[in-house]
Amino acid sequence: MPVMPVPLGFVFRSRAKEEKAPADKAQVTGSSQPRDPQARKGRPTPKRSEAQSQRRSVASTPVSRKDTAKRQREDRRQALDRQRRALAGGDERFLPARDKGPVRKFARDWVDSRINVAEFFLPLAIVILILSVVRVPSIQNIALLLWLIVIVLIVIDSAFSGYRLRKRLAEKFPDANRRGAVAYGLMRSLQMRRLRLPKPQVKRGERP
C-alpha cells in the first residue's frame, strides 16, 4: 500500500508551547479576583463601606422574640417618659393626641386664666359630705341645701364658660377644626388647677 507522507512540522513541532499554554490559562484564571458571595450575579462587588453598613444593620436586628419584646418595652418606656415631661412642660411635640394643636392649647390657656366654680367641687363635696354625716337634722338640711347650690352654680358657670369659649375660638380660629375643643375646656375646668395636665402655662387673670 502507498505510504502517505507525514509533514515534518507535525513530527518536529515544539511541545513546550503546548504545555505552557494550559499553564498560562490556569495562571490567568487563578489570578482573577473572586466574586463577592454577597454580590448578585451580574452586579459589581459592593464597596467596603456598603458591606460594613449591611453587616451593622444585620447585627443590630433582633434575633429572637425576647430581644424584640425587650426593644418594644424600651421604646414604650422612652415614649412615656417624653410624654410625661411634655405634660409637665407643655412641649407640643410629645403631647398626647387629645392635647395637641393650637386650638386645644388656647382652650387650656383660656380655662386656666379664669376662676371656675367647678374646680372647687372636690373640696366642697368633702365639706358637704362631712356635714351630712352629723346626726343633727338642721345641719343635714344645710348640707342638702349646699349640694343644690353647688350643683346649680357649676351648671350655670359651665354653660356661661362654654358659650364664651366657643365665641373666642370662632374669633381666633375661624378656619380651623374646633370640634370637641369646648368640651375639652369644660372637662379641664372640673379639675383642680394644681392637678391639671398639661400643667397650666398662664396665670389667673392673664389674657391667653
Side-chain angles (χ1 to χ4, degrees):
M1 297 178 62
V3 180
M4 297 294 296
V6 178
L8 295 178
F10 178 79
V11 177
F12 298 101
R13 66 180 178 177
S14 175
R15 293 182 174 272
K17 293 182 179 179
E18 295 180 357
E19 294 176 358
K20 186 178 180 181
D24 293 341
K25 291 182 180 180
Q27 184 177 0
V28 171
T29 305
S31 63
S32 62
Q33 185 178 0
R35 186 174 62 88
D36 189 358
Q38 294 183 356
R40 296 183 180 180
K41 187 175 180 180
R43 294 191 177 184
T45 303
K47 297 180 181 179
R48 180 178 297 179
S49 59
E50 296 177 354
Q52 289 177 352
S53 63
Q54 291 177 359
R55 285 196 296 269
R56 290 196 207 100
S57 62
V58 172
S60 61
T61 304
V63 295
S64 66
R65 183 178 299 177
K66 183 177 180 181
D67 294 337
T68 303
K70 183 178 179 181
R71 176 71 62 82
Q72 291 176 351
R73 287 195 302 269
E74 182 66 21
D75 292 342
R76 285 196 299 269
R77 188 190 66 78
Q78 292 179 0
L80 290 174
D81 187 58
R82 289 194 299 266
Q83 189 177 103
R84 185 166 51 251
R85 292 197 302 267
L87 289 172
D91 191 348
E92 285 282 337
R93 295 175 300 171
F94 304 113
L95 286 176
R98 64 181 179 86
D99 299 314
K100 283 186 176 181
V103 176
R104 298 298 175 96
K105 185 179 186 305
F106 180 83
R108 289 196 305 270
D109 294 343
W110 189 87
V111 171
D112 295 337
S113 65
R114 60 191 303 273
I115 299 175
N116 306 278
V117 178
E119 65 182 286
F120 301 104
F121 173 76
L122 184 59
L124 289 174
I126 294 175
V127 172
I128 295 172
L129 183 61
I130 293 174
L131 293 176
S132 63
V133 173
V134 179
R135 295 180 178 274
V136 178
S138 59
I139 296 179
Q140 290 180 348
N141 293 333
I142 293 173
L144 181 60
L145 182 62
L146 287 176
W147 269 120
L148 295 176
I149 293 173
V150 169
I151 292 174
V152 170
L153 288 176
I154 289 176
V155 171
I156 294 175
D157 184 67
S158 298
F160 183 69
S161 298
Y163 172 77
R164 290 189 58 192
L165 179 58
R166 183 178 289 106
K167 185 177 179 181
R168 290 295 309 278
L169 287 172
E171 294 174 355
K172 193 170 183 64
F173 305 98
D175 300 328
N177 183 13
R178 304 185 300 273
R179 184 177 179 181
V182 175
Y184 172 78
L186 293 178
M187 289 298 297
R188 185 175 178 84
S189 67
L190 294 173
Q191 303 171 353
M192 298 179 65
R193 183 180 174 86
R194 66 179 60 184
L195 300 179
R196 293 172 184 172
L197 290 175
K199 294 291 185 181
Q201 303 295 316
V202 296
K203 298 179 180 179
R204 290 191 189 274
E206 183 179 352
R207 188 179 179 87

